[in-house]
């Protein structure tokens, strides 16, 4: 079946630090890949997505590249801000969405 | 972008009562909507697919008699938790694909926090 594995948190960083949140997947065929973000007290918001191999999704300074050879979709940001503190979910879609367990990011001054 | 709303945003009820949660697509039509459950510090678990004009499709292990889903129109799906118990306390989230069909991009509602006493 389909599954998504992402690094456990919480991840605590200082402002302006570099962020990487690892995500790998198992799926039949070629799924679309997503990163969703959940800010405290809010619902999920689509952060970025990639629909085919080697695609790079980007938004708000975040990037992730669809790597078919390593079945990965790692999330990166060059310089995090306190406002980036949230829970980040990696997900794949083969029609339905399958989510990873989420990674909490805390950014401190 | 597409907007999905949920009502209520939070509800507290007594054990044994039923609670209805509404999910609306505000600026688009959705023939399909999805209902998820999220436990604290865990991922979203797909409960069921709500289909306009037909019965909902439930994921394995989800009691269809416990979680009643009705897709009343192209913009409204409801989830009713019947005879709620404390173990049903959770965060319930709905989503809808913006095209109205079965596409990859989902738009999520803000969620409903259910607490059963």
């Amino acid at each position: 079946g389909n599954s998504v594995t992402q690094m456990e948190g919480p991840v605590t960083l200082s402002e302006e630090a570099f962020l990487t949140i690892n995500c790998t997947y198992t799926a039949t065929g070629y799924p679309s890949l997503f990163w969703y973000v959940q800010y405290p007290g809010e619902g999920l918001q689509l952060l970025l997505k990639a629909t085919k191999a080697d695609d790079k999704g980007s938004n708000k300074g975040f990037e992730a590249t669809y790597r078919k050879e390593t079945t990965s979709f790692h999330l990166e940001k060059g310089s995090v801000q306190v406002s980036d503190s949230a829970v980040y979910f990696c997900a794949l879609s083969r029609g339905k969405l399958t989510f990873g367990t989420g990674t909490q990011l805390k950014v401190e001054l | 972008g597409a907007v999905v709303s949920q009502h209520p945003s939070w509800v507290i009820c007594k054990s044994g009562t039923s609670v209805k949660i509404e999910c609306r697509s505000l600026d688009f039509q959705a023939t399909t909507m999805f209902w998820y459950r999220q436990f604290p510090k865990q991922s979203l678990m797909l409960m069921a697919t709500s289909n306009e004009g037909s019965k909902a499709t439930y994921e394995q292990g989800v009691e269809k008699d416990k979680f009643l889903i009705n897709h009343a129109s192209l913009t409204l799906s409801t989830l009713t938790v019947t005879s709620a118990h404390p173990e049903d306390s959770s965060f319930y989230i709905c989503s809808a694909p913006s095209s109205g069909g079965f596409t990859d991009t989902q738009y999520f509602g803000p969620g409903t926090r259910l607490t059963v006493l």
Side-chain angles (χ1 to χ4, degrees):
Chain A
N2 300 326
S3 67
V4 175
T5 303
Q6 60 182 108
M7 59 190 292
E8 291 188 18
V11 173
T12 303
L13 295 173
S14 298
E15 200 169 46
E16 300 184 357
F18 183 85
L19 168 71
T20 299
I21 300 178
N22 291 335
C23 171
T24 58
Y25 67 90
T26 302
T28 55
Y30 301 101
S32 295
L33 301 174
F34 303 83
W35 277 99
Y36 282 88
V37 58
Q38 186 177 31
Y39 296 102
E42 299 183 14
L44 272 73
Q45 301 174 27
L46 177 65
L47 180 60
L48 53 85
K49 70 174 185 178
T51 57
K52 61 182 187 297
D54 300 325
D55 267 2
K56 177 185 284 187
S58 62
N59 186 27
K60 298 181 181 180
F62 291 90
E63 293 182 341
T65 301
Y66 190 143
R67 301 289 188 196
K68 188 177 69 172
E69 63 277 10
T70 55
T71 62
S72 65
F73 193 55
H74 305 321
L75 182 68
E76 296 182 336
K77 186 175 185 182
S79 177
V80 294
Q81 305 299 311
V82 172
S83 58
D84 294 325
S85 298
V87 180
Y88 292 82
F89 291 94
C90 185
L92 69 83
S93 177
R94 290 286 289 163
K96 301 175 185 178
L97 275 173
T98 300
F99 287 89
T101 53
T103 301
Q104 184 175 13
L105 170 66
K106 296 180 181 179
V107 181
E108 301 174 334
L109 290 171
Chain B
V3 177
V4 174
S5 70
Q6 282 185 241
H7 177 79
S9 56
W10 59 271
V11 57
I12 301 172
C13 69
K14 293 181 179 180
S15 185
T17 61
S18 294
V19 174
K20 180 184 286 188
I21 301 170
E22 293 185 348
C23 176
R24 292 182 185 273
S25 56
L26 296 185
D27 50 1
F28 65 100
Q29 295 182 335
T31 56
T32 302
M33 291 183 176
F34 299 94
W35 286 97
Y36 296 85
R37 184 173 179 178
Q38 185 182 25
F39 292 98
K41 298 185 178 181
Q42 294 187 29
S43 188
L44 281 74
M45 180 189 76
L46 179 64
M47 299 175 64
T49 302
S50 175
N51 304 299
E52 193 270 337
S54 64
K55 292 182 179 181
T57 306
Y58 291 82
E59 296 300 302
Q60 191 172 11
V62 177
E63 300 176 59
K64 57 183 67 177
D65 294 332
K66 173 77 170 175
F67 299 99
L68 300 180
I69 290 173
N70 180 35
H71 203 127
S73 73
L74 288 172
T75 59
L76 173 63
S77 174
T78 60
L79 168 68
T80 301
V81 183
T82 63
S83 187
H85 292 283
E87 58 266 28
D88 298 325
S89 298
S90 190
F91 196 53
Y92 292 88
I93 302 170
C94 69
S95 74
S98 62
S99 72
F102 214 29
T103 68
D104 286 333
T105 301
Q106 300 286 327
Y107 294 94
F108 286 82
T112 297
R113 173 76 60 192
L114 170 63
T115 302
V116 184
L117 302 177

